[in-house]
Amino acid sequence: MRVLYLLNISNPDRLAADSGWIFADLLAPALADAGAEVTVASPAPAGDTRAVFHRTRVHGTKYRARFGADIGELASMIRAAKPDVVVANQIEEAPAVRAALLEAGSGALLAGYCHYLPFSLSGGGRVVLDPSLDDGGLGRSVLLAFAAGVSACDRVMVHSATAASWVSAATVQVGVDVAGRMRVVPPPRDGRLVRDPAAVTAADRTGAGAIGVYNHRLYAHYGTGRFVDLARELTASGLVRVRVMDLFGTRRAERSGLDDSPERMRDQLAAMAHVQVVSDRGDRIRYRQLLAGARFGIAPFRPGCPWSMSVIDCQGMGLPVISPRMGWLAEHIDPALHFTTLAEAVALAERLATDDAFHAEHARRAFASTTGLNPASVAASYLEAIA
């Protein structure tokens, strides 16, 4: 099977913070191991040398990534790669890819991966636009472009059962039925971020000054303002310190001009007592070390959360993750670690910090929840979905 993998990169200046690139870098070699011939079309190479690399331009903003498709360039890539399957990881580009397939005279199957959902569903089933894609009132247009992308695909892949239910419910409201075309294929975990908690020494389990790590993007739409409040409450007693990952570093003006909340939130957190803001500097080994020095992870307060690479990173390292009861987080994370109020979150964090038996059991469960996400297993599911 020849696969043309169209990868949009949203963070070219810090690839280690771009989940789409990381997933491709892990998945392309596993697909090759399974016998697929893979071409990755992307602004930066991903995967090993067996994957053919076709360089594409960097989209300056998240809106250009959704509305700036070049059908001529796509048709040229399709003619060169002669794929059996084209995977569009920016689902809004799928109609343009379909047009390029027609122009190139290709009968390839078109699969879309819904890497990011521009909406969430309220408890009553109402579609709520993602504020990160609603600048200037564009949110409704992005939602319609998303639905058009789903409509154009032969297969639609999503991260989780939560994402599947949201995509089905949202698209049917605008006249698109995805029944029979949807497949749940979770992304792979990073093998560099795997640590069996059974191998962690007793010295590493000390409760004094235990660190809770927050390794998510600091956008306001991730609920970072609520996390700031939580960090203040968590550190008040002195039992817990908080380590915040600065994943972006210095961003390009095109990106910070649309949303400067990561910089504002980072500065606010850095000014708090017992809160440490650190950078992995794009180095996965350093990132692993920063996670390994923590006691537990903290999930984001992002309503539209169909998946979280950062949560899986923590769990693969044997870190229990406390989580607000929402979205995929509620589907995946052990219910005993869910919270509704900040007081409940503080109680969970302090118990993980001081109760070794409780921590050990949830470390074991967290690690076990990621074992099926090794790249080989995910590649097999991927190929089954697009067969």
Side-chain angles (χ1 to χ4, degrees):
M1 180 187 293
R2 293 188 299 275
V3 178
L4 174 58
Y5 194 97
L6 304 176
L7 174 62
N8 171 56
I9 289 177
S10 60
N11 298 291
D13 304 318
R14 185 67 68 86
L15 289 176
D18 191 286
S19 55
W21 181 85
I22 290 172
F23 295 156
D25 196 47
L26 297 170
L27 188 59
L31 290 172
D33 288 343
E37 299 176 30
V38 184
T39 297
V40 177
S42 165
D48 59 28
T49 55
R50 290 173 295 170
V52 176
F53 171 54
H54 181 99
R55 187 177 296 279
T56 58
R57 71 188 187 283
V58 176
H59 290 292
T61 70
K62 54 195 171 186
Y63 295 112
R64 288 197 178 198
R66 287 163 172 83
F67 300 125
D70 184 329
I71 293 175
E73 180 186 17
L74 289 168
S76 295
M77 280 191 282
I78 290 165
R79 292 189 187 101
K82 298 180 174 58
D84 301 303
V85 179
V86 179
V87 178
N89 281 277
Q90 190 69 61
I91 192 71
E92 293 88 349
E93 280 195 340
V97 178
R98 176 65 76 190
L101 286 167
L102 290 170
E103 188 172 306
S106 172
L109 179 143
L110 175 56
Y113 200 105
C114 300
H115 185 70
Y116 190 99
L117 303 186
F119 60 88
S120 60
L121 252 61
S122 70
R126 180 176 62 88
V127 173
V128 180
L129 297 178
D130 190 320
S132 74
L133 290 164
D134 197 23
D135 302 284
L138 274 170
R140 179 70 177 170
S141 297
V142 173
L143 173 62
L144 292 173
F146 179 91
V150 168
S151 178
C153 290
D154 301 301
R155 299 282 190 280
V156 177
M157 292 183 282
V158 294
H159 299 76
S160 62
T162 295
S165 65
W166 286 0
V167 170
S168 296
T171 54
V172 77
Q173 292 183 36
V174 292
V176 175
D177 185 359
V178 75
R181 294 184 289 132
M182 186 179 293
R183 306 288 188 274
V184 175
V185 183
R189 73 178 183 184
D190 189 339
R192 294 164 292 188
L193 303 174
V194 175
R195 181 189 65 170
D196 188 338
V200 178
T201 66
D204 294 323
R205 295 194 177 99
T206 179
I211 294 174
V213 66
Y214 187 84
N215 56 332
H216 309 281
R217 300 177 181 189
L218 297 177
Y219 290 118
H221 68 272
Y222 269 62
T224 312
R226 294 182 66 188
F227 168 68
V228 170
D229 294 337
L230 174 58
R232 187 176 294 110
E233 296 293 324
L234 283 177
T235 56
S237 70
L239 286 173
V240 172
R241 290 176 291 143
V242 173
R243 174 174 292 163
V244 177
M245 301 292 297
D246 175 18
L247 298 174
F248 288 149
T250 302
R251 296 188 302 153
R252 288 176 292 117
E254 298 97 322
R255 295 180 59 78
S256 59
L258 278 175
D259 184 354
D260 67 351
S261 61
E263 288 78 13
R264 289 187 289 104
M265 295 293 181
R266 179 187 62 199
D267 293 345
Q268 188 174 351
L269 287 160
M272 295 172 61
H274 308 300
V275 174
Q276 176 193 34
V277 177
V278 299
S279 173
D280 64 4
R281 301 188 291 270
D283 184 339
R284 296 299 271 182
I285 295 175
R286 175 170 166 77
Y287 180 53
R288 176 190 169 94
Q289 292 169 341
L290 291 167
L291 293 182
R295 177 81 167 180
F296 62 92
I298 304 166
F301 288 82
R302 179 185 161 208
C305 192
W307 187 260
S308 170
M309 178 183 71
S310 296
V311 165
I312 299 300
D313 291 346
C314 286
Q315 292 178 321
M317 290 289 292
L319 300 182
V321 178
I322 64 171
S323 167
R325 193 176 284 104
M326 61 173 62
W328 166 79
L329 302 168
E331 171 192 332
H332 173 74
I333 292 174
D334 193 297
L337 298 181
H338 296 169
F339 61 82
T340 301
T341 66
L342 295 187
E344 292 171 351
V346 170
L348 281 171
E350 291 185 348
R351 187 174 181 191
L352 287 170
T354 59
D355 186 334
D356 286 344
F358 182 75
H359 179 273
E361 174 60 20
H362 283 286
R364 182 190 64 77
R365 294 184 192 182
F367 180 75
S369 72
T370 73
T371 54
L373 302 178
N374 64 81
S377 295
V378 171
S381 297
Y382 211 98
L383 291 173
E384 181 180 357
I386 62 179

